Amino acid sequence: MKFFLFLFVFLLCLLRAESIDTNTSYLDTAHKIISDKVTGYSDTLDQTISKLFTGKKAQNTYDDFFKNEKYFNETEKSFVSVNLNTQFQSKYREKTTLNINANIALQRTNQKLNLFVSGINENKKIIDKNAPTELGLNYFRADRYNIQSRYSIGVRGFYPFIRARYYKIFTAKSWKIEPMQLFEYSSKDAFKENTFIYFDKTLADKSLLRVTLQRETQTKIKGMDYAVSTQYYWNFYKKNILSISEILSGNTEYTTETSTRKYSGINNYATVLTFRKNIWKKWFFYQVSPSVNFHKENDYKANYAIAFLVNLYFGDFD
């Protein structure tokens, strides 16, 4: 019943948005007021912090459109996003999350600093790790050998953390290769580190093929998480993009909730189909993602799922 109620409201919103004239309306006015506030507060804060501290990088078009984890790791723009995500699964209860992400660039410090607020968003990570909201300050810096770095300090929930991120872009014929390494220490989880390697290839029809390798270790968790994914992005019509992902993930040492026996190897296989549309203006998006995964905790039986995501963006998000 909840599924059909949500679907009815969701479709009603889409039909309403499509029927609104694209000229100035009360929604445009409200959106402009909020966006002006975001950029205004950013500018004021920027002026204050620039008194204490004395290269902008092009985003991948598909990362920009999807506003995924890679985008949030690299962007230096000022914006606030409001995200409503509802997911229905055959093996688990339905789940709805509402979160806000914010990034405030401080341009008077040569775009080297920004403030961030990051809420929970399960769709951002290949290996799903639930975490409370983060609040902190990023410092961007270009190091030797064109290795880009970003240093962060902040709090996650009630626990402080520090984090360092390093990445470098290579090209090999028609492939763009981007290795990225993260190190983090927090008062709650102690030390952890992540490695990502992105392999991007733009195809003849301007679609994108991406292969991602990921690994993660933590002081308080035995073994090493790892994942490999293949994603295909297709911009088939104006502001409509379709992606399909195949994901394998596992660990070198893990136990299940029903057994203390130690296992190793791949424990989850997932296929995700995602349709995302910029439905109105440049700030209103919706996304539908049907998927199926086969996890060891379900004895590798199919868990069918569908997720509905609505995003609203305010500020400098173009």
Side-chain angles (χ1 to χ4, degrees):
M1 185 64 184
K2 290 182 180 179
F3 172 78
F4 293 106
L5 179 61
F6 177 85
L7 188 60
F8 174 75
V9 175
F10 183 75
L11 293 174
L12 188 63
C13 290
L14 299 187
L15 293 173
R16 175 59 179 165
E18 293 282 12
S19 67
I20 296 177
D21 186 78
T22 56
N23 294 324
T24 302
S25 66
Y26 68 95
L27 286 176
D28 288 309
T29 302
H31 180 267
K32 186 177 186 303
I33 291 173
I34 298 175
S35 293
D36 288 345
K37 290 292 184 182
V38 172
T39 55
Y41 290 144
S42 171
D43 188 64
T44 301
L45 187 60
D46 188 8
Q47 293 183 50
T48 303
I49 296 183
S50 66
K51 297 177 182 179
L52 303 177
F53 298 90
T54 303
K56 203 168 189 180
K57 172 173 140 18
Q59 293 287 339
N60 178 285
T61 302
Y62 291 100
D63 294 326
D64 196 348
F65 190 82
F66 276 85
K67 301 293 188 294
N68 54 21
E69 183 183 16
K70 190 173 186 295
Y71 174 86
F72 280 95
N73 275 332
E74 298 175 359
T75 187
E76 299 174 27
K77 295 181 179 180
S78 295
F79 66 90
V80 172
S81 67
V82 180
N83 316 289
L84 175 62
N85 187 357
T86 297
Q87 185 177 45
F88 301 91
Q89 302 183 76
S90 60
K91 295 290 186 181
Y92 305 95
R93 297 179 59 184
E94 68 271 14
K95 179 170 58 176
T96 298
T97 59
L98 175 64
N99 67 75
I100 297 176
N101 293 311
N103 194 71
I104 307 300
L106 307 175
Q107 297 180 358
R108 286 177 174 77
T109 58
N110 297 321
Q111 295 182 333
K112 291 182 178 181
L113 290 172
N114 65 35
L115 295 174
F116 67 89
V117 178
S118 177
I120 299 173
N121 190 331
E122 291 81 1
N123 290 330
K124 286 186 182 178
K125 294 192 175 183
I126 296 174
I127 298 177
D128 184 20
K129 300 289 184 182
N130 292 325
T133 300
E134 294 182 352
L135 171 64
L137 179 70
N138 286 327
Y139 172 65
F140 293 85
R141 179 183 174 185
D143 284 347
R144 296 180 180 180
Y145 311 113
N146 294 320
I147 297 176
Q148 301 294 314
S149 61
R150 188 190 71 185
Y151 303 95
S152 308
I153 184 170
V155 293
R156 181 184 300 113
F158 298 100
Y159 302 96
F161 70 87
I162 55 174
R163 181 165 56 220
R165 172 180 175 271
Y166 304 93
Y167 72 96
K168 181 178 175 66
I169 298 176
F170 301 88
T171 55
K173 294 185 178 181
S174 59
W175 288 86
K176 185 181 78 170
I177 304 171
E178 182 178 344
M180 181 177 68
Q181 181 67 43
L182 292 94
F183 301 97
E184 180 182 302
Y185 184 84
S186 70
S187 61
K188 179 181 181 181
D189 300 320
F191 178 79
K192 72 175 182 179
E193 55 86 24
N194 299 69
T195 303
F196 296 83
I197 306 178
Y198 301 98
F199 299 86
D200 289 358
K201 181 180 177 65
T202 301
L203 305 179
D205 59 352
K206 304 301 181 182
S207 57
L208 177 71
L209 175 65
R210 169 173 291 169
V211 178
T212 305
L213 307 179
Q214 178 184 353
R215 54 172 295 281
E216 175 180 318
T217 61
Q218 297 187 50
T219 301
K220 296 184 177 181
I221 298 179
K222 293 183 178 180
M224 178 184 71
D225 288 326
Y226 57 84
V228 57
S229 70
T230 302
Q231 295 170 289
Y232 174 74
Y233 297 93
W234 180 33
N235 188 187
F236 64 94
Y237 180 72
K238 293 182 180 179
K239 297 180 179 180
N240 298 264
I241 292 182
L242 189 69
S243 77
I244 183 168
S245 304
E246 292 288 340
I247 306 166
L248 305 178
S249 58
N251 192 288
T252 57
E253 183 180 338
Y254 67 93
T255 58
T256 64
E257 295 183 356
T258 58
S259 173
T260 58
R261 179 184 172 185
K262 293 183 179 180
Y263 298 92
S264 65
I266 295 173
N267 54 37
N268 193 26
Y269 305 82
T271 300
V272 184
L273 180 68
T274 300
F275 170 75
R276 183 170 174 85
K277 179 179 177 65
N278 181 191
I279 187 173
W280 197 57
K281 301 296 184 179
K282 295 181 179 180
W283 51 271
F284 182 17
F285 292 74
Y286 79 85
Q287 181 172 309
V288 181
S289 300
S291 65
V292 59
N293 71 77
F294 303 86
H295 201 287
K296 185 174 180 62
E297 69 181 15
N298 297 320
D299 295 324
Y300 295 112
K301 294 179 180 177
N303 174 38
Y304 299 98
I306 185 168
F308 299 91
L309 178 65
V310 175
N311 304 118
L312 303 177
Y313 298 97
F314 304 91
D316 177 24
F317 55 87
D318 294 339

